[in-house]
Amino acid sequence: MTGGFESLHAHTRDTDGHQTHLEALESAAALGYQVLAFTDHDWFPEPDTVRQLQSYTGPVKWLLGIELSAFHQGSDQAPHNLHVLGYFFDPQNRQLQDYLQELEQGRIERMQRYVEHLSALGFTISRQDCLTAASGSRIIGSPHIVKAIESHPENQAIIDRLKDQLAAAAEHDPELKARYERMIKEGPRQYPYVLFMKASSFVPFPAGHKMSMLSLEDASKLIQAAGGIAVLAHWFFNQDAVSRPQLESLLSTRQLDGVETEVVNLITERDVSAETTYLRSLTTRFDAIETMGSDSHDQADLQAFAESPAAARSVGQTQRIIDRIQPNLTWSNLK
Ligand SMILES: [Zn+2]
Ligand SMILES: [Zn+2]
């Protein structure tokens, strides 16, 4: 192991990760990381956490970013959820703080709607199951809802039934057939999302009113207006949300500062190397920022990234960004 790896995408117990910030830094140090950016979902750490980080004396450089939820109208005209990474912004920016607060409220309402939607499908699930699954987190995300479903073994039969229904419907529908085949390739962790967790699922989750969710363009603008850079996260999983022409236009107009070209996590078992090559070509073509990250939620994810071919390429990425934009380094120990 050569070391010096840099992950600009990681989660903690504040949202859907399994380690605290300091535990993640400890794992990162042991695995040879040099830089770790914390990018929790719609969440900036509380002052206590920031103080703990500031008194951290270990070898890893840390910085505090964010992974913002947003939506984008795909080429199919439907709104799709996606994630925008933000770095080097001022977390005390008023508009940003207001948005995070609205999203927090929206997530509580969404959890309630999930419980109704899933109960109607026959799942055993309660509000309390969701809260238990999210224990220790400051926000409730769809992975917690999936965990709540999994906490009742009898729910597996319903997932199997919906999977069979999709397979049957796919026989006479090429679009569904493609979706079904992609789901099988991506593996069981993706089944709930393809089958019933999303507005675009086989059995759509009624999205409800999108009161607070910003569009991709507006979420990026919010990060940029707070002094930061906006980077589209894991486009591999959001190709329905942002088509190639749309992505190219967003980069050429600087509505996005960059793209994340590599993530290593277990969200998919599909080979995305062709997409990685495409994304890297865009960073050259539009002189856009390239980021790479573990999108880690635990020690195993950090280890998977450290052992992947992306790890060696990740070395030096943070300094390249710093040299390029001369950012405010207040919320880091990079100074
Ligand atoms: Zn994400
Ligand atoms: Zn993430």
Side-chain angles (χ1 to χ4, degrees):
M1 190 155 48
T2 49
F5 316 131
E6 304 182 21
S7 165
L8 294 183
H9 188 161
H11 298 280
T12 73
R13 283 177 65 98
D14 273 0
T15 60
D16 56 355
H18 300 288
Q19 295 182 301
T20 64
H21 291 77
L22 292 179
E23 285 166 355
L25 285 175
E26 210 170 290
S27 298
L31 289 162
Y33 281 80
Q34 180 168 318
V35 179
L36 190 63
F38 295 107
T39 52
D40 271 313
H41 297 284
D42 305 319
W43 178 260
F44 196 83
E46 291 187 313
D48 268 357
T49 309
V50 175
R51 271 194 292 275
Q52 280 175 15
L53 283 169
Q54 282 164 343
S55 50
Y56 168 78
T57 53
V60 179
K61 297 291 179 192
W62 55 265
L63 60 147
L64 295 176
I66 200 163
E67 184 170 20
L68 275 189
S69 304
F71 73 89
H72 195 256
Q73 191 115 328
S75 38
D76 59 359
Q77 300 308 312
H80 294 266
N81 288 357
L82 45 74
H83 294 158
V84 188
L85 294 160
Y87 304 100
F88 303 117
F89 53 84
D90 171 13
Q92 285 159 345
N93 176 275
R94 189 75 249 160
Q95 280 75 30
L96 183 60
Q97 283 191 344
D98 287 349
Y99 182 49
L100 296 184
Q101 215 158 48
E102 274 175 54
L103 284 175
E104 200 173 345
Q105 187 54 39
R107 279 174 184 276
I108 295 168
E109 288 162 27
R110 191 178 65 153
M111 174 185 74
Q112 191 54 45
R113 290 206 312 278
Y114 264 124
V115 170
E116 287 160 18
H117 169 61
L118 295 168
S119 302
L121 285 173
F123 284 102
T124 306
I125 190 164
S126 67
R127 204 182 146 87
Q128 190 52 51
D129 294 331
C130 301
L131 293 172
T132 305
S135 146
S137 297
R138 303 308 308 261
I139 61 139
I140 295 160
S142 39
H144 298 129
I145 311 285
V146 171
K147 205 168 147 196
I149 293 171
E150 289 166 354
S151 70
H152 297 282
E154 67 267 32
N155 285 333
Q156 188 55 47
I158 302 172
I159 297 177
D160 293 342
R161 177 164 54 77
L162 290 169
K163 180 171 161 260
D164 291 346
Q165 284 175 7
L166 173 56
E171 274 177 39
H172 311 286
D173 184 332
E175 195 271 326
L176 282 184
K177 194 166 156 50
R179 237 207 280 185
Y180 177 76
E181 284 169 357
R182 191 155 73 179
M183 176 183 87
I184 297 299
K185 232 185 265 173
E186 291 184 336
R189 280 179 71 155
Q190 278 300 300
Y191 292 0
Y193 298 97
V194 178
L195 293 173
F196 52 80
M197 287 294 290
K198 303 200 294 190
S200 55
S201 293
F202 175 54
V203 181
F205 170 54
H209 55 120
K210 286 235 177 277
M211 34 137 223
S212 52
M213 183 85 81
L214 289 179
S215 68
L216 167 60
E217 291 87 343
D218 287 342
S220 301
K221 216 183 277 174
L222 191 61
I223 294 166
Q224 291 170 338
I229 52 170
V231 173
L232 183 62
H234 47 61
W235 174 77
F236 332 93
F237 316 129
N238 299 113
Q239 298 184 44
D240 297 336
V242 186
S243 68
R244 289 182 184 217
Q246 286 175 326
L247 178 56
E248 290 163 22
S249 153
L250 288 161
L251 287 167
S252 73
T253 55
R254 286 287 184 264
Q255 289 179 89
L256 278 174
D257 297 291
V259 281
E260 184 176 55
T261 61
E262 305 257 17
V263 285
V264 175
N265 74 10
L266 304 171
I267 202 167
T268 178
E269 287 151 31
R270 189 162 55 85
D271 176 15
V272 294
S273 51
E275 285 104 320
T276 300
T277 304
Y278 165 68
L279 290 170
R280 294 193 67 193
S281 77
L282 294 186
T283 61
T284 311
R285 190 170 145 202
F286 298 108
D287 189 27
I289 288 169
E290 175 182 22
T291 69
M292 291 153 268
S294 50
D295 197 358
S296 46
H297 293 74
D298 54 26
Q299 200 267 350
D301 291 348
L302 281 169
Q303 184 167 349
F305 183 74
E307 289 171 355
S308 79
R313 289 216 305 113
S314 74
V315 176
Q317 59 170 328
T318 312
Q319 193 57 47
R320 278 197 293 279
I321 299 172
I322 292 173
D323 290 345
R324 175 175 172 147
I325 65 167
Q326 310 287 331
N328 178 351
L329 297 175
T330 304
W331 307 92
S332 76
N333 65 346
L334 287 160
K335 276 167 286 184

